Amino acid sequence: MSTTAETTRDHAEAEPVLTVADLRTDFTLRSRGRRHTLHAVDEVSLTLRPGETLAIVGESGSGKSTLARSILRLVPPTSGEVTLGGRPVADRRDRREVYRELQMVFQDPRGSLDPRQRVRSILDEPLRLHLKMPAADRDRRIKELLASVELPETVLDRLPAALSGGQRQRIGIARALAVQPKAVILDEPTASLDASTRGVVLDLLARLQREQGIAYLLISHDLQAVRRIAHRVQVMYAGRVVESGTTDEVLTNPAHPYTRALLDAAPVAQHGGHTRTIRLTGENPGPFEVLPGCALAPRCPLAEESCTAGRPPQLPFGGTHEAACPVIHRQVSADLADARRDKEDHHDQ
Amino acid sequence: MTGKTTSAPRTGAAPAPGDDTGPLLSVTGLSGAFHTAHGSTQVLHDVTFDVPRGGITAVVGETGSGKSLSVLTVMGLMPPGLAVQGSVRFDGRELIGLGEDGYRELRGNQIAMVFQDARSSLNPVLTVGRQLAAVARLHRGVGRKEAEELVADTLARVRIPDPRRRMAQYPHQFSGGMAQRAMIAMALLCRPRLMLLDEPTTGLDVTTQADVMELVVELARQDGLTACLVTHDLGVVGETCDRVIVMRHGRVVEEAAAEAFFRAPESAYARTLLAANRIDEAPGSPT
Ligand SMILES: Nc1ncnc2c1ncn2[C@@H]1O[C@H](COP(=O)(O)OP(=O)(O)O)[C@@H](O)[C@H]1O
Ligand SMILES: Nc1ncnc2c1ncn2[C@@H]1O[C@H](COP(=O)(O)OP(=O)(O)O)[C@@H](O)[C@H]1O
Ligand SMILES: [Mg+2]
Ligand SMILES: [Mg+2]
């Protein structure tokens, strides 16, 4: 898609809104009297630029939510650095300062909205607390916010329970946008919605981004949603990034066996579906064991002895595309060399 | 209005019990309403559909469309307050009005159900092996030793590795996908003729979901099991089902062979649903 490529180039020139460098978040668990350390987020780096959507993709337990929570310091990261607008988040004395620039929309608006608070007061709170806006201005701004998420003013006096799932998620979005943040983390924003509502909410998010230049860090296991609104994608497995690139690079030409299996497992809405070509063994164990080599190796049909020896490096696959799989990299390089040789032979004749 | 756009004519008279040419399950004119002190709300309107013998029939629709209530009614597991009318024929035999004893016999030996959240359907304080063995002893009339053998075999059939070790474990030691396989094994132990699966893979990871659905398809193809799969995911339907019943607001709006359905759904609603399930194909995005 040329549009995606162009936009990605535009984004590449702007100063990043958010950067994450080698972030690690460990949890210590106790089981049968023994202590285990679990690297829920394991040396993750990312850059988010104004107006772009970076998707973090992976199945449950891969560390996506912990990454989001660590960025916002809702859980303390073990090591690594997060900078917002060029300044380390760790240096900010006041968490409110962080929230003015970076907001979050949660998966289940039912859990993230106070059930006793009416919509008016849900939207009033950030304006009052974070922006210290006078009452008269707040009233006007609340109406603006409602209009921006395409809700009628009649919802203002309702409680969250009296709204549909899609309406609740719009309120969650409006609340996040109230402080005019530079970036918003969307943690599975459509996972609790029906298919038809899901598309509408994704389109709404895309429109708000175009109008306001907000950057999104979209956390999702919904590859369709990612295709629809993300410019770039990073795939996580067991706390680590295994593949990254533009949406096209990663989802049209997946390199890593995990990404391939993920795409291959997605059901296709057509009769007879499709034939799966790559299968992983067993289920995602989560980051329970700290493995010296590739975390996927125990489940990977392509695994070789060397895969368990050391952690695979990120290898280039052309453009901005990178994946941490030496086996696939060798295959692809060999195919390319073959193609080149064929072409030269053709020339010689 | 019946809301049905099926092209297949319904057989006039219901087949006699034991006649194995008609549909295995026939739901006709099923209506249901919740009666409370504040009045009554009708949630099922003249629901009519067939589940033919063999193969997998899907019941699809968005949340609240009446899918679960329809299949729960087939099992005689209506929630309190739901009053139903109409006809549900299983293998030619009328089920509406069957007493609790009749349903119990049916649930054990003829129809089995698998629910969405497998782990919460299992008893947390008993090992998985013990729960399955109890089912085997009850429904297969076998002794303890034999029941254990049967459970181990059935767990192997649903491709749970190392079944003997797994049998000694508690539900919380099972992953979501493993727990769902164990529930399918429990259903199989009853040797049912019809298996009802209500959103059996919702909440599971996509790779696990694909594995569990593959297992269901394999069981239907190899063992001639008839399955009725309730889902909101048309992708899952496309991958696995032979027939599609679309519900909306408590009504059946379309009933068709899967092949015809995915080629050209008849109702405008089904076309909308299909488009919503293929949102990544929408033009002009991302910009
Ligand atoms: N507060 C916590 N304490 C201990 N373990 C946790 C905590 N939060 C998350 N985890 C574990 O970290 C891993 C990653 O979880 P999470 O970030 O929620 O993944 P995802 O959002 O990708 O599903 C999981 O194994 C999870 O059980
Ligand atoms: N126990 C109940 N009491 C009252 N209403 C119910 C109950 N169970 C379901 N309903 C209502 O009946 C309708 C159909 O529900 P259900 O069959 O569960 O839908 P689906 O399975 O398609 O999501 C919904 O509007 C739901 O709110
Ligand atoms: Mg999460
Ligand atoms: Mg349901």
Side-chain angles (χ1 to χ4, degrees):
Chain A
M1 262 178 287
S2 63
T3 48
T4 311
E6 277 160 28
T7 328
T8 309
R9 239 192 333 272
D10 291 348
H11 296 150
E13 284 153 17
E15 280 302 306
V17 192
L18 172 73
T19 64
V20 171
D22 301 324
L23 193 76
R24 159 170 283 176
T25 303
D26 292 346
F27 292 116
T28 305
L29 303 177
R30 252 170 234 282
S31 101
R32 300 200 190 102
R34 280 182 51 204
R35 281 158 58 99
H36 296 262
T37 299
L38 180 155
H39 301 325
V41 175
D42 195 352
E43 315 262 299
V44 169
S45 299
L46 61 87
T47 306
L48 185 66
R49 295 178 199 276
E52 79 164 341
T53 299
L54 169 63
I56 306 289
V57 168
E59 293 181 295
S60 58
S62 53
K64 306 182 299 297
S65 294
T66 306
L67 171 64
R69 294 162 63 79
S70 308
I71 290 173
L72 281 164
R73 304 226 144 214
L74 297 171
V75 284
T78 309
S79 60
E81 192 175 64
V82 177
T83 61
L84 198 55
R87 290 171 55 207
V89 169
D91 295 353
R92 311 282 179 105
R93 274 168 296 119
D94 193 351
R95 196 174 268 172
R96 267 182 298 186
E97 211 188 306
V98 173
Y99 292 162
R100 281 202 51 177
E101 289 169 44
L102 180 62
Q103 281 283 321
M104 181 141 166
V105 172
F106 297 88
Q107 165 172 354
D108 185 6
R110 209 181 303 229
S112 62
L113 301 178
D114 181 345
R116 291 154 307 181
Q117 218 179 358
R118 292 187 193 279
V119 169
R120 184 188 305 278
S121 134
I122 292 172
L123 297 180
D124 189 59
E125 208 167 74
L127 303 175
R128 193 162 38 89
L129 296 182
H130 294 308
L131 300 184
K132 313 243 183 301
M133 210 183 248
D137 295 349
R138 294 207 303 266
D139 204 48
R140 189 183 36 79
R141 179 77 179 126
I142 287 172
K143 288 178 179 157
E144 254 173 45
L145 284 168
L146 268 189
S148 74
V149 295
E150 295 157 22
L151 283 179
E153 287 177 20
T154 49
V155 302
L156 281 176
D157 296 311
R158 300 220 188 120
L159 291 170
L163 303 176
S164 69
Q167 288 176 326
R168 274 196 292 265
Q169 197 53 293
R170 287 165 196 260
I171 296 298
I173 294 167
R175 178 178 61 179
L177 298 184
V179 298
Q180 295 182 290
K182 295 194 184 111
V184 178
I185 301 178
L186 307 161
D187 192 357
E188 310 268 9
T190 55
S192 62
L193 305 178
D194 265 328
S196 55
T197 319
R198 189 174 58 135
V200 177
V201 168
L202 289 172
D203 286 348
L204 171 72
L205 287 167
R207 176 175 64 72
L208 292 168
Q209 176 171 69
R210 276 196 306 276
E211 290 172 1
Q212 305 182 24
I214 319 161
Y216 294 139
L217 187 64
L218 170 67
I219 290 176
S220 185
H221 63 258
D222 178 354
L223 295 173
Q224 289 193 329
V226 169
R227 264 209 188 98
R228 178 115 157 187
I229 69 166
H231 302 100
R232 290 190 299 124
V233 177
Q234 292 191 185
V235 183
M236 276 181 82
Y237 182 77
R240 305 179 191 172
V241 173
V242 296
E243 181 156 4
S244 55
T246 65
T247 304
D248 230 20
E249 285 167 345
V250 175
L251 298 188
T252 312
N253 273 315
H256 200 279
Y258 178 65
T259 316
R260 291 183 178 185
L262 207 58
L263 281 161
D264 200 34
V268 177
Q270 66 187 36
H271 180 55
H274 72 299
T275 311
R276 289 168 75 193
T277 55
I278 178 165
R279 265 163 234 269
L280 303 175
T281 328
E283 284 176 55
N284 186 349
F288 286 114
E289 282 172 85
V290 179
L291 299 165
C294 171
L296 189 68
R299 300 179 63 201
C300 182
L302 304 176
E304 300 172 353
E305 214 170 311
S306 60
C307 295
T308 51
R311 187 179 288 206
Q314 296 289 342
L315 298 165
F317 281 82
T320 61
H321 196 181
E322 288 190 340
C325 180
V327 178
I328 295 282
H329 192 257
R330 208 173 54 226
Q331 278 179 11
V332 171
S333 310
D335 289 350
L336 281 177
D338 277 354
R340 213 174 300 131
R341 207 171 311 118
D342 283 354
K343 213 168 149 194
E344 279 165 15
D345 287 353
H346 199 73
H347 259 312
D348 293 346
Q349 281 167 9
Chain B
M1 101 168 199
T2 63
K4 260 184 40 149
T5 55
T6 172
S7 46
R10 288 178 69 79
T11 39
D19 168 4
D20 55 8
T21 55
L24 183 59
L25 178 73
S26 251
V27 176
T28 314
L30 182 70
S31 298
F34 281 101
H35 297 291
T36 65
H38 310 289
S40 64
T41 325
Q42 194 169 353
V43 286
L44 297 177
H45 305 260
D46 192 21
V47 171
T48 301
F49 64 87
D50 285 344
V51 175
R53 284 164 208 272
I56 306 178
T57 298
V59 178
V60 292
E62 296 193 280
T63 314
S65 57
K67 307 181 297 294
S68 293
L69 290 181
S70 298
V71 295
L72 286 170
T73 301
V74 170
M75 284 290 271
L77 295 174
M78 290 75 86
L82 180 70
V84 293
Q85 272 178 35
S87 163
V88 175
R89 283 180 171 268
F90 177 73
D91 202 14
R93 173 177 167 215
E94 180 60 52
L95 302 187
I96 296 285
L98 200 65
E100 185 49 35
D101 286 350
Y103 271 122
R104 203 171 299 131
E105 194 275 333
L106 193 81
R107 286 200 286 266
N109 306 310
Q110 309 275 333
I111 310 180
M113 185 146 175
V114 174
F115 295 92
Q116 173 174 341
D117 185 2
R119 246 174 309 196
S120 67
S121 319
L122 288 163
N123 184 336
V125 302
L126 295 179
T127 63
V128 172
R130 228 176 117 177
Q131 297 181 56
L132 290 179
V135 171
R137 290 177 68 178
L138 185 67
H139 293 294
R140 304 283 277 267
V142 293
R144 229 178 100 158
K145 202 103 207 106
E146 246 180 298
E148 266 179 34
E149 290 292 322
L150 212 50
V151 170
D153 288 351
T154 314
L155 288 178
R157 246 178 93 201
V158 298
R159 286 196 237 108
I160 290 189
D162 204 354
R164 291 278 172 184
R165 185 177 61 88
R166 286 298 189 168
M167 283 164 69
Q169 292 185 336
Y170 291 88
H172 76 268
Q173 292 169 289
F174 276 52
S175 66
M178 282 297 159
Q180 201 52 278
R181 284 170 197 274
M183 287 310 293
I184 292 172
M186 189 183 277
L188 289 176
L189 280 170
C190 306
R191 281 193 292 199
R193 299 174 61 202
L194 173 64
M195 183 154 5
L196 303 172
L197 303 120
D198 192 355
E199 311 260 7
T201 58
T202 303
L204 298 181
D205 274 332
V206 56
T207 51
T208 311
Q209 172 176 319
D211 292 342
V212 170
M213 284 319 301
E214 257 175 22
L215 171 68
V216 173
V217 172
E218 192 182 294
L219 293 170
R221 300 272 182 276
Q222 290 178 359
D223 303 14
L225 187 77
T226 304
C228 180
L229 171 72
V230 170
T231 178
H232 63 269
D233 187 341
L234 279 173
V236 170
V237 176
E239 297 281 344
T240 55
C241 298
D242 310 299
R243 250 183 110 63
V244 185
I245 290 147
V246 183
M247 291 191 71
R248 184 190 196 192
H249 301 328
R251 293 187 162 83
V252 173
V253 296
E254 184 151 352
E255 179 176 6
E259 194 263 328
F261 177 83
F262 285 101
R263 193 162 18 86
E266 284 189 35
S267 63
Y269 178 66
R271 282 195 291 276
T272 314
L273 263 193
L274 208 52
N277 269 270
R278 293 170 173 166
I279 58 166
D280 56 331
E281 290 171 13
S285 50
T287 49

